Amino acid sequence: MDMSSREIRLPLDEAVAVLLDLNEFVVSLDRLGSRQGCGAADEYTVGKFIADWDVARRLARARGVISVALDQELSVEERLEIDDLGEQGRFYTDNVGYPSPDESS
């Protein structure tokens, strides 16, 4: 599917809400990264931010807003193609930073 010239529509209020959430996360994570760099913050601080600011739920809502817009504009086959692309993403596992059993030797 050629996605370069395709467009989707988002309700303005939903687009603004997603934009504001993403802006808060980007600015805050940048600040936290700077603090980590100089030793004034650690993983606990980042985890506390994610929990206290309800980051996971708010990001899931942003994903939902975009998904609804895609569902309205794309065919079933195109949506399945995008779902397949989503499965290729990088996801956190408990093994992050550790070699997998077949890599350690």
Side-chain angles (χ1 to χ4, degrees):
M1 159 180 41
D2 178 25
M3 291 188 260
S4 62
S5 63
R6 302 282 300 267
E7 294 183 11
I8 62 169
R9 293 178 179 262
L10 292 171
L12 182 59
D13 61 336
E14 303 239 353
V16 169
V18 167
L19 179 64
L20 294 175
D21 280 349
L22 293 175
N23 188 56
E24 283 183 22
F25 302 149
V26 169
V27 171
S28 297
L29 289 169
D30 181 60
R31 290 177 180 172
L32 284 165
S34 294
R35 288 186 178 182
Q36 278 185 309
C38 68
D42 58 13
E43 292 83 8
Y44 173 78
T45 309
V46 175
K48 185 163 174 45
F49 164 74
I50 290 170
D52 290 353
W53 288 47
D54 207 12
V55 172
R57 183 194 60 77
R58 291 166 66 191
L59 286 172
R61 183 186 173 287
R63 180 182 59 193
V65 166
I66 294 169
S67 291
V68 166
L70 288 171
D71 287 350
Q72 292 173 350
E73 300 290 331
L74 302 177
S75 69
V76 172
E77 294 81 20
E78 290 170 324
R79 291 193 309 264
L80 288 172
E81 189 174 335
I82 290 174
D83 288 346
D84 287 341
L85 289 173
E87 293 298 319
Q88 297 172 25
R90 291 177 31 193
F91 303 99
Y92 175 84
T93 69
D94 289 337
N95 296 327
V96 170
Y98 302 99
S100 65
D102 54 330
E103 291 178 5
S104 58
S105 305

